[in-house]
Amino acid sequence: MSDLGESHAPSGAMPGLPYERRRARDEIAQRLAAIVEPSDDAILAKDLDGTVTSWNRGAERLFGYRAAEIVGKSVMLLLPDDRQDDEAPILARLRRGERVRHYETVRRRKDGSLIDISLSVSPLREASGRVIGASTIARDITERKQAEERQRLLLREMDHRMKNLFALAGSLVGMSVRDAASPQELASIVQERLSALARAHALTMPKDSAAGSNDSVRLHVLLRTILAPYEGAGGGDDRLRINGDDVTLPGNAMTTIALILHELATNAAKYGALSSPSGTVTVECVAKKDTLALIWDERGGPRSDEPGEDGFGSLLGRLASGQLGGTIEREWRPEGLRVTLTILRDRLR
């Protein structure tokens, strides 16, 4: 006796498959389609030749192609030129019935832009178990990749700054030993110089602690901060002048420049123009395409002759060349010391 459901099967039904089983299969397919189609993930199917056979709305949003534009075409359209060899190994694994789980790669959108994605690829089988294609889920991981890159950049920057700080600490102690007559005096001098650097670093901090670090400072602001302790001493504010171009200094370069300026100001106060009530210091800032020059010009102080090889000059020279890619030149004139600090502009980025 024939199956009752078979006698009522609609026209065009597949022979040999009971109607109730076909209906259950169709219902499952409709439910799957209802899940797949609105998914935020890109879900597509392809045959073993790499031809796209289905394409949901998530794939349209991710890759920019409408289903009508890509179904029936090769999935190779999505591969950048330098990744054209990626697809063959994936198809080979699918033919063996293997899955590809969370494979991170790059794909090309319709507009030509590249996007970081994570792929999960599973074999599609017919009723006999033979693999006939693949189902692919692609997820946009751009934000995660960008966060990872920011983290790598931050770690590299931290490493760079730590090395700079150790180098500066060595230079600072070396400068201080030259001026100290006792351990107590050495400690005092080092503390004073660390305080000057702390004041300079404070310039990079926002007024509102919730706003995040500025991590940069204007050159003229830094100069005024370094010279502030000497304003009004003996001759009023006119004895300190800052002229010329103003540029933004990044945090890493600012530390080195602050230490050099502090040393110039300290020496001027001890031995140069700032040790005299009538002495003046003018700092001229000259920004060019490739260099930034700071010209420290002292006038009206006690006459001083050019010293021999001194630790002060050699240490500042090493700071200028090692950290700023530049030079320091000193000229002892009858009217006072003139120092030119030249900095490469690419060290200020």
Side-chain angles (χ1 to χ4, degrees), residues 73-138:
K73 296 181 179 178
S74 174
V75 75
M76 299 292 285
L77 281 172
L78 304 177
L79 274 66
D81 294 340
D82 62 345
R83 294 179 182 262
Q84 291 291 304
D85 296 333
D86 282 8
E87 188 67 9
I90 294 176
L91 291 175
R93 292 181 62 179
L94 290 169
R95 291 187 182 98
R96 296 193 297 268
E98 299 177 12
R99 293 185 64 186
V100 178
R101 298 176 183 269
H102 305 300
Y103 169 61
E104 294 187 3
T105 186
V106 176
R107 289 295 180 259
R108 181 170 55 202
R109 305 179 76 252
K110 181 182 177 181
D111 62 7
S113 61
L114 301 180
I115 185 169
D116 291 299
I117 62 170
S118 173
L119 290 178
S120 294
V121 189
S122 303
L124 290 175
R125 304 175 186 272
E126 60 181 5
S128 65
R130 182 171 67 93
V131 177
I132 58 173
S135 171
T136 299
I137 300 176

Side-chain angles (χ1 to χ4, degrees), residues 205-323:
M205 300 306 294
K207 301 297 183 184
D208 178 4
S209 60
S213 175
N214 297 322
D215 206 27
S216 64
V217 66
R218 300 294 292 179
L219 173 59
H220 285 197
V221 173
L222 176 62
L223 283 164
R224 285 193 292 270
T225 300
I226 297 298
L227 294 174
Y230 311 102
E231 288 182 351
D237 294 342
D238 287 344
R239 67 199 309 245
L240 299 174
R241 304 183 185 96
I242 300 169
N243 300 325
D245 301 316
D246 195 9
V247 299
T248 298
L249 304 176
N252 53 348
M254 182 272 298
T255 304
T256 303
I257 295 171
L259 181 55
I260 292 173
L261 292 171
H262 172 71
E263 293 309 306
L264 292 174
T266 300
N267 268 19
K270 288 182 177 180
Y271 317 111
L274 295 181
S275 68
S276 169
S278 60
T280 64
V281 172
T282 299
V283 185
E284 191 76 27
C285 310
V286 182
K288 297 182 179 179
K289 179 180 179 182
D290 298 322
T291 60
L292 171 66
L294 304 183
I295 303 166
W296 177 280
D297 193 351
E298 298 184 26
R299 294 174 182 269
R303 182 183 178 89
S304 61
D305 297 325
E306 180 175 352
E309 290 297 323
D310 63 322
F312 173 77
S314 61
L315 285 168
L316 291 190
R318 287 199 296 271
L319 277 177
S321 61
Q323 307 297 325

